[in-house]
Amino acid sequence: MARFELYSEPVRRSYSAPVCSLACLSALTLWIVNVILPFIVAYNIPGFWQKYGEYREQPYVRFQHQLLFSISSTSGQIATWSTIPNYNRLAGEQLRVPHVTSYAVDSNYDGKPDAFNLTVEIPVNSDENVQHIQLMLFFSYQLSMFSRLQAQCMAYIDRMSAMPISRLDIGGDLMMTQRNPLPWTGTLTTSNSSIINTDSVFARDYNFLTVLRNYAERNETTHLHNSYEFQTLRGSNDRQFTVQTYIRFPEQIFVYPLAITEVLLN
């Protein structure tokens, strides 16, 4: 004879134990082993759990109208000049004021400079043969997509020639080098300080090697990449040395630590 189920109810059984008991300790241990431990193991296996992400951004770079240059021959320094008054006071007889022109290039009219053009014209005497040029150009550097980075950076140019030259044309991409990943959010200003102590009255603080060593200690530094150069040999009637630079500010890849939400979504 057929039967119909008219009513049913589940049977629920619960077991309890004091907090300070072996049973409670065993249950907690099993929960850690089954839930927490797999996350720890996965996080520490290379390639399994992605820790860093990448994104592309074009920085906002502006020339600060600050530079420092030195020209010399095989016999020693010929002339030097800077936009820093204290440096010029230390230059003495080697101080020579150049004619400087510069302008930014915004080729796509998006408000961000895409390149920078600078011309430095230095008068030289007939017996001064320029064979070595050192030039420091100082910029402000900003990012805004993830980390709101504000930094001061520079482009350093150091070129030598076996023959006397009257002109150096050089160009390249100003690219940032990160010693550590950028934070994925917030404002970062640890490198937003002057690269040179412009208040100093000591020559050692303006030494090119000293400036470069101190600059290299920063987490965010910029350098010229993908560069080219062209040297023009000096003629008998040349009474001027010219440096022409064209520096591009391209979009580049930046590294940042992934947030836990991004890791779980990926």
Side-chain angles (χ1 to χ4, degrees), residues 103-124:
Y103 59 89
V105 179
D106 185 5
S107 56
N108 56 5
Y109 304 102
D110 63 348
K112 286 185 177 181
D114 298 302
F116 165 73
N117 193 299
L118 174 80
T119 304
V120 181
E121 298 173 338
I122 310 157
V124 294

Side-chain angles (χ1 to χ4, degrees), residues 15-28:
Y15 301 90
S16 62
V19 174
C20 298
S21 65
L22 183 60
C24 185
L25 178 62
S26 300
L28 179 61

Side-chain angles (χ1 to χ4, degrees), residues 229-244:
E229 66 175 89
F230 185 83
Q231 300 178 355
T232 303
L233 295 179
R234 184 181 185 185
S236 58
N237 297 323
D238 290 332
R239 296 294 183 271
Q240 178 177 278
F241 180 77
T242 303
V243 180
Q244 176 80 42

Side-chain angles (χ1 to χ4, degrees), residues 9-72:
E9 60 180 8
V11 176
R12 182 175 179 274
R13 295 177 180 175
S14 62
Y15 301 90
S16 62
V19 174
C20 298
S21 65
L22 183 60
C24 185
L25 178 62
S26 300
L28 179 61
T29 302
L30 289 174
W31 184 83
I32 293 176
V33 170
N34 292 319
V35 179
I36 304 299
L37 187 60
F39 280 96
I40 297 175
V41 173
Y43 185 79
N44 288 279
I45 294 177
F48 185 82
W49 190 301
Q50 189 177 2
K51 301 178 183 179
Y52 301 105
E54 297 179 346
Y55 71 97
R56 298 183 65 91
E57 182 179 354
Q58 181 185 5
Y60 185 86
V61 185
R62 283 287 188 183
F63 180 53
Q64 293 183 311
H65 300 285
Q66 294 182 354
L67 63 87
L68 191 157
F69 82 85
S70 172
I71 56 174
S72 58

Side-chain angles (χ1 to χ4, degrees), residues 199-219:
D199 296 326
S200 176
V201 295
F202 300 104
R204 63 176 180 269
D205 293 325
Y206 301 100
N207 180 273
F208 279 86
L209 180 58
T210 301
V211 174
L212 291 172
R213 281 177 174 172
N214 293 336
Y215 182 63
E217 293 299 319
R218 300 189 175 202
N219 183 53

Side-chain angles (χ1 to χ4, degrees), residues 129-182:
N129 297 317
V130 179
Q131 294 178 267
H132 186 201
I133 171 71
Q134 293 173 286
L135 177 64
M136 287 182 174
L137 305 174
F138 301 95
F139 301 88
S140 63
Y141 194 101
Q142 296 180 9
L143 297 174
S144 58
M145 184 177 294
F146 282 87
S147 172
R148 292 186 293 276
L149 171 70
Q150 298 177 7
Q152 295 188 30
C153 62
M154 74 172 179
Y156 176 61
I157 297 170
D158 187 342
R159 295 295 184 273
M160 297 187 69
S161 173
M163 301 292 291
I165 57 176
S166 63
R167 182 183 177 94
L168 173 66
D169 290 85
I170 188 166
D173 299 333
L174 189 71
M175 305 295 286
M176 173 171 283
T177 301
Q178 302 174 234
R179 297 179 64 185
N180 297 299
L182 297 173

